């Protein structure tokens, strides 16, 4: 999950042109690559990338590979980044309340990418329970929910969550819904959060 501020767009193109061999070798498919975005809480850089690998080990191996390390200086010369490698989630998913159907999927999905520091773990558990119904109603599912993470560049908070929604519009609507805002009150004062809602990418995966 790189968050990037590009200082030289033309020079940065040399980096994006150099990375496909590493991503293809380790099967790192792009889910988010630029696109529309809205920072709804905290702070975030101007460009967001989300790349999914078969497993956490493959994601780490890609970053450390000779192929990627040859490309990396081309990014460092033209951008500043916070770069997080996070383990995926395979536990229970939010369910839509009975009698409701999630929004229809579009070609480009929507994502919440959140980085948090939980300051009061016990009260925070009320938020973790209360947010499931609105997330389920809008078709959200966890790709990352805690788990291992390694901050390879820059900085990030101690916990990372990534949610995928059927569309960018559904992702925004979930956050703005009365039900989610009611759940959010249990988080307020018990965690610090940087949350960006981003549009998915439907171009070449590597």
């Amino acid at each position: 999950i790189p968050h990037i501020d590009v200082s030289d767009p033309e020079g940065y193109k040399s980096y994006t042109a150099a990375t496909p061999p590493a991503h293809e070798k380790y099967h790192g498919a792009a889910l988010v690559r630029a696109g529309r975005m809205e920072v709804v809480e905290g702070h975030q850089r101007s460009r967001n990338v989300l790349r999914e690998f078969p497993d956490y080990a493959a994601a780490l191996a890609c970053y450390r590979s000779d192929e990627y390390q040859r490309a990396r200086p081309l990014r460092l010369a033209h951008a500043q980044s916070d770069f997080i490698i996070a383990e995926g989630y395979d536990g229970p998913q939010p369910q839509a309340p009975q009698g409701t159907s999630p929004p229809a999927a579009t070609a480009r999905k929507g994502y919440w990418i959140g980085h948090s520091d939980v300051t009061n773990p016990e009260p925070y558990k009320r938020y973790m329970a209360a947010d499931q119904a609105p997330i389920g109603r809008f078709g959200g599912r966890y790709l990352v929910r805690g788990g291992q993470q390694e901050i390879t560049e820059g900085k990030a908070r101690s916990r990372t969550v990534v949610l995928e929604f059927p569309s960018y519009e559904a992702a925004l609507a979930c956050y703005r819904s009365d039900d989610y805002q009611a759940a959010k009150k249990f988080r307020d004062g018990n965690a610090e959060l940087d949350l960006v809602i981003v549009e998915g990418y439907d171009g070449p995966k590597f």
Side-chain angles (χ1 to χ4, degrees):
I1 311 171
H3 302 292
I4 304 165
D5 286 327
V6 177
S7 55
D8 179 359
E10 285 303 310
Y12 186 80
K13 290 178 181 177
S14 62
Y15 164 71
T16 60
T19 56
H23 295 148
E24 188 166 7
K25 179 178 179 180
Y26 292 93
H27 306 288
L31 302 182
V32 171
R33 190 179 179 189
R36 292 179 290 173
M37 61 170 279
E38 184 173 325
V39 180
V40 293
E41 295 187 45
H43 304 280
Q44 198 51 269
R45 294 189 183 274
S46 59
R47 180 182 174 95
N48 301 280
V49 177
L50 176 63
R51 194 169 290 275
E52 184 178 57
F53 290 83
D55 54 39
Y56 183 59
L60 288 171
C62 181
Y63 182 85
R64 296 168 179 166
S65 69
D66 291 342
E67 292 90 346
Y68 186 76
Q69 289 300 313
R70 283 195 294 269
R72 180 172 171 266
L74 301 173
R75 173 168 54 77
L76 297 178
H78 305 295
Q80 293 183 326
S81 304
D82 300 316
F83 204 119
I84 303 95
I85 298 174
E87 182 180 36
Y89 173 76
D90 63 355
Q93 294 288 355
Q95 300 297 313
Q98 189 171 4
T100 65
S101 298
T106 61
R108 293 190 175 194
K109 296 182 179 179
Y111 297 87
W112 290 12
I113 303 176
H115 304 291
S116 65
D117 289 322
V118 178
T119 52
N120 296 301
E122 285 304 314
Y124 184 81
K125 290 177 182 178
R126 297 180 67 189
Y127 164 71
M128 294 177 67
D131 70 353
Q132 297 302 285
I135 290 171
R137 181 158 62 90
F138 286 92
R141 68 183 189 96
Y142 292 101
L143 301 185
V144 174
R145 192 183 190 191
Q148 298 181 81
Q149 71 173 28
E150 182 171 324
I151 301 167
T152 57
E153 297 177 36
K155 61 182 181 179
R157 297 187 183 275
S158 59
R159 177 183 172 89
T160 295
V161 174
V162 178
L163 276 157
E164 181 180 77
F165 289 84
S167 66
Y168 180 62
E169 291 75 16
L172 286 171
C174 180
Y175 182 82
R176 295 169 179 166
S177 69
D178 290 343
D179 288 351
Y180 182 76
Q181 289 299 311
K184 176 181 173 292
K185 290 178 181 179
F186 295 122
R187 173 164 54 77
D188 294 342
N190 296 312
E192 296 177 355
L193 179 68
D194 299 318
L195 177 60
V196 61
I197 298 176
V198 293
E199 182 180 39
Y201 171 73
D202 62 354
K205 293 302 180 185
F206 300 116

